[in-house]
Amino acid sequence: MPIFPPWPAQPGFRPRIAPLPALADEIRGCRLCAQRFAATATAHEPRPVVWFRPGARILIAGQAPGARVHASGRPFTDPSGDRLRDWLGIGEDIFYDLSLVAVVPMAFCFPGYDARNADLPPPPVCRRTWHGRVMAQLGDVPLTILVGGHAHKYHLAAKTPVTETVRSWRDHAPRVFALPHPSWRNTAWLKKNPWFEAELLPVLRARVQEVLND
């Protein structure tokens, strides 16, 4: 049996601006991975989390929703989201304003866990099916933030490990910033790489404010 509550969750929540209806509704109705998800340890059903609208000022390209996001139906409603918003220097009011921020992960659904309770990778079929169309609808976004190795590989064609890609952030700034995943699992990484908080984050936060106020 699925372990998550049925759609919709969080009754009463309404985004300030709805995503582009036709494409967003197509993605929400996607069931390409139903058999794949049913075979995971979580045995869950697809629930695409769609959060984008043309005209957004910031694109956050992540990996895939986690279990909490699967339950809430909103991106980054978990401790990773709290850390990411801290990195960006913005609160939930800005983060969840669809006229300002789009969130397009490499897979729109929670991929599930394996038998050892580890996150499964985002299924490539999601990227192949939807990402070209979504990016075409979003158009030229002033600031793109790549969260984690899967996004680095897709958007930058990165072949280096995450640490090296993030360390080379000046090569892509100010339009693109590559970040590690804000998961609690990366707390040790942050301690080993103090330059990330000392050098990259101040520039990123300033760029976020510049884009939002432009």
Side-chain angles (χ1 to χ4, degrees), residues 163-174:
T163 299
E164 292 182 35
T165 304
V166 176
R167 193 184 296 275
S168 301
W169 62 273
R170 293 179 181 85
D171 294 346
H172 310 289

Side-chain angles (χ1 to χ4, degrees), residues 189-208:
W189 185 95
L190 295 172
K191 292 180 180 179
K192 291 179 182 178
N193 297 277
W195 52 266
F196 174 76
E197 293 185 327
E199 300 174 20
L200 187 155
L201 288 188
V203 178
L204 173 61
R205 289 169 179 153
R207 177 59 177 161
V208 168

Side-chain angles (χ1 to χ4, degrees), residues 15-102:
R16 288 176 57 182
I17 301 176
L20 191 69
L23 181 54
D25 285 347
E26 278 191 69
I27 298 172
R28 288 195 189 97
C30 181
R31 295 297 180 269
L32 284 172
C33 296
Q35 291 185 342
R36 179 196 303 266
F37 296 160
T40 67
T42 42
H44 62 290
E45 296 182 358
R47 187 188 184 183
V49 177
V50 182
W51 203 269
F52 67 87
R53 180 182 174 86
R57 306 292 294 161
I58 298 172
L59 167 62
I60 297 173
Q63 178 166 301
R68 294 190 186 188
V69 172
H70 178 88
S72 73
R74 285 199 294 167
F76 288 102
T77 51
D78 53 21
S80 293
D82 295 336
R83 175 175 274 174
L84 178 59
R85 286 182 284 274
D86 177 66
W87 286 354
L88 302 179
I90 59 176
E92 291 189 1
D93 57 333
I94 299 297
F95 190 87
Y96 291 114
D97 185 338
L98 279 158
S99 70
L100 300 175
V101 178

